[in-house]
Amino acid sequence: MNVNVTRPTVMEVSIDNFKHNIKEIKKIVGKDTNIMPVIKANGYGTYINKRLDVLNEFDIVGLATVDEGVNVRRLGYKKDIFILNQPYIGELSKIIDNDLVIGLSSTDFLEEVLKQDKCIRVHIEIDTGMGRTGVLPSNINTFVNRLKSANNIKVEGVYTHLSSADTDQEYTKKQLDTFKEAVRIIRSEMGDIKYVHASASNGIINFQSGIFNLARPGIIMYGYESFKGTYDKISLKPVAKLKSKITFLKEVDEGTSISYSRSFITKRKSVIATIPIGYADGLRRMISNRGYVVINERKAPIIGSVCMDGIMVDVTDIKEVTVGLDAFIWDNDIIKLDEIADLCGTINYEIMSTISYRVPRVFVEEENESM
C-alpha cells in the first residue's frame, strides 16, 4: 500500500492503534455484540477501507454509498457490506450485482425493489427522532405488511440513528424506547431478525442499554473523540498523523510581506520555512495567520494565507531547522486534531474526512496481532 510514495506530504496511519481502539470498543459492547466498522468516506480519511486484511477481521462493514460498497467488494471483501443510507433507484443493478445489503426506509423505494427479479437483502431503518430518513413509527405496520408479501426481499436487520446521544439523555432514551417498540412489532410480524442496531460512537459510549447485537463505531475507531469527554470514558489511541517536510528556507528582513494579499508582514528579521501542503490537500484557509505546525517538537506559527499547495511558517525561534525536517500539521501530542477543528470552527470528523486524495496514506504497523 505504501509503494512509490515520493511526496513529502503524507498521512501516517497506525494499524496498531486502530486494533487497540477496536479492542477497547469490544470491552464496552461485550462479546455477544458484533462490530460493524463504519468505513465510509475512505475510512474517515484514513484509507483503512482499502486494507483487506483489516476488513477481513469483521463479519460486516458499513458504508454510506453504493459506490463505496462496490469498491470494497472489488477489493476482495466477501462478507456482508451494509449501505447505511437508502440508495437511489438507479443503483439497484449495482446493489444486486455486488450483493450489497441496503438500508430501506421509504415506500416508494420499496415498490421499486419489489419489481426486481433477484433477491435483495435489507435492514429496515426506523426514524425515531433523527428526522433524516427512516420509516415513521406510525407507518411501521403498513410498511411491514407490504414487506411480508415480498418474495425477493430478505429482511436481515432493523436499525435507527441516535441524534443526540452526546447531549440529550432524555431525548435519547425516548428514541430507544420508540425503537424497541418498533423492533417488537417487526419481530411479531416477521420473526427473528439477524441484526438490531442503534448505536454509533456516542451511543456506544453513553448508552450501553441501547447496544443491541450490532454496534456501528465511527470516529472512535480512529482514536478521536466523538464528544467532549470521550477520552474520560474509553482509552483511545489516535490513528492518524498529518505531516509534511520543509522544502525551502529563507531569511527575510523586517517588513517583508508573506503570501497572497500581504496578509502577514514580518515585524523583525525572520527565518521562514515553506511547507508543501495547502488547501487542495484539505488544509483549511481558516487557519491562515492563526494555526501552527510542529517542528522539532515546538509550535511554529503559520503566517500569511494558506495557498493551494503550500504554507509558510515562522521558524525564527526554533533551533536546528533544515530543509527536509518534518513538519506536523497534527502529531496527536503537541497539536491535536481537535485543536485544528476548533480553529476552523468545525468538528474532527470534517477535518479527517476532507484530507484530499493528493495526500498519500502511509500505513505504519509493528505487530500482526489480530483484533
Side-chain angles (χ1 to χ4, degrees):
M1 293 294 293
N2 301 333
V3 176
N4 294 328
V5 174
T6 57
R7 193 178 179 206
T9 301
V10 300
M11 180 186 283
E12 287 185 348
V13 179
S14 170
I15 297 299
D16 296 326
N17 287 1
F18 182 83
K19 291 178 180 179
H20 166 87
N21 297 334
I22 293 296
K23 288 178 181 177
E24 293 300 309
I25 294 166
K26 284 181 176 178
K27 289 179 184 178
I28 294 176
V29 304
K31 63 180 181 179
D32 296 327
T33 300
N34 278 329
I35 289 178
M36 177 173 68
V38 178
I39 54 169
K40 62 182 180 176
N42 276 320
Y44 286 50
T46 65
Y47 285 21
I48 279 176
N49 63 307
K50 300 179 185 296
R51 285 288 300 256
L52 182 60
D53 59 324
V54 174
L55 303 188
N56 277 336
E57 296 283 339
F58 304 94
D59 293 328
I60 182 171
V61 297
L63 296 120
T65 71
V66 169
D67 283 343
E68 287 180 334
V70 170
N71 287 336
V72 170
R73 187 64 82 208
R74 288 175 177 170
L75 184 67
Y77 185 75
K78 299 185 184 303
K79 303 178 189 179
D80 288 347
I81 297 172
F82 177 58
I83 308 304
L84 291 153
N85 304 317
Q86 179 178 279
Y88 293 106
I89 292 169
E91 296 178 303
L92 282 169
S93 61
K94 284 184 179 179
I95 291 163
I96 293 168
D97 291 345
N98 292 278
D99 190 24
L100 305 180
V101 187
I102 60 171
L104 185 62
S105 63
S106 77
T107 303
D108 289 345
F109 191 82
L110 170 58
E111 293 301 323
E112 292 299 324
V113 174
L114 289 171
K115 296 175 185 177
Q116 307 304 307
D117 58 4
K118 292 189 178 179
C119 183
I120 294 179
R121 296 181 293 152
V122 305
H123 291 198
I124 304 170
E125 182 180 7
I126 309 298
D127 183 1
T128 58
M130 179 67 181
R132 185 169 59 188
T133 53
V135 180
L136 292 172
S138 58
N139 294 335
I140 289 173
N141 284 303
T142 302
F143 196 82
V144 169
N145 284 334
R146 188 71 180 103
L147 267 174
K148 284 170 64 178
S149 67
N151 296 319
N152 68 327
I153 297 177
K154 184 177 181 182
V155 178
E156 292 191 343
V158 182
Y159 71 111
T160 193
H161 191 64
L162 306 177
S163 72
S164 309
D166 57 333
T167 58
D168 195 324
Q169 196 171 58
E170 289 306 311
Y171 190 76
T172 303
K173 287 178 179 177
K174 183 185 292 186
Q175 278 195 271
L176 287 170
D177 287 343
T178 300
F179 183 60
K180 288 173 184 176
E181 176 60 14
V183 172
R184 185 195 67 77
I185 292 170
I186 292 169
R187 279 179 166 161
S188 69
E189 295 293 328
M190 306 195 74
D192 195 28
I193 302 293
K194 183 178 180 180
Y195 289 126
V196 178
H197 49 112
S199 290
S201 292
N202 289 333
I204 289 169
I205 293 172
N206 292 325
F207 286 89
Q208 278 79 51
S209 62
I211 297 170
F212 297 90
N213 67 354
L214 185 67
R216 309 188 304 258
I219 194 73
I220 59 174
M221 285 193 308
Y222 306 104
Y224 298 103
E225 63 179 9
S226 56
F227 63 92
K228 299 295 183 184
T230 296
Y231 299 132
D232 297 328
K233 296 188 173 187
I234 183 171
S235 171
L236 298 175
K237 294 182 179 181
V239 163
K241 296 179 180 181
L242 184 61
K243 73 175 189 177
S244 189
K245 292 182 182 292
I246 296 172
T247 54
F248 191 79
L249 278 171
K250 57 185 175 293
E251 190 174 288
V252 301
D253 293 329
E254 177 184 349
T256 300
S257 61
I258 304 295
S259 198
Y260 290 110
S261 303
R262 306 187 68 215
S263 64
F264 184 89
I265 308 294
T266 58
K267 296 178 176 60
R268 59 176 177 169
K269 192 170 185 177
S270 303
V271 180
I272 310 299
T274 300
I275 300 167
I277 182 170
Y279 60 78
D281 301 302
L283 188 64
R284 307 297 175 83
R285 294 187 77 247
M286 181 72 74
I287 65 172
S288 300
N289 293 308
R290 300 177 66 206
Y292 296 83
V293 300
V294 176
I295 296 173
N296 276 348
E297 299 185 344
R298 291 193 57 187
K299 284 186 174 182
I302 296 171
I303 57 173
S305 299
V306 173
C307 305
M308 181 179 286
D309 310 305
I311 54 174
M312 281 68 75
V313 301
D314 187 342
V315 294
T316 308
D317 298 325
I318 300 179
K319 297 179 179 178
E320 299 179 356
V321 175
T322 60
V323 169
L325 204 60
D326 284 342
F328 289 90
I329 309 307
W330 73 78
D331 65 342
N332 301 315
D333 182 17
I334 298 171
I335 296 178
K336 295 180 170 62
L337 174 64
D338 302 297
E339 295 176 45
I340 305 291
D342 288 344
L343 273 177
C344 295
T346 186
I347 55 176
N348 51 19
Y349 295 73
E350 186 175 4
I351 299 297
M352 280 287 289
S353 63
T354 55
I355 300 302
S356 85
Y357 71 94
R358 299 201 323 173
V359 178
R361 274 60 168 182
V362 176
F363 294 108
V364 179
E365 50 194 321
E366 297 175 358
E367 56 187 42
N368 294 315
E369 182 179 350
S370 68
M371 290 173 280

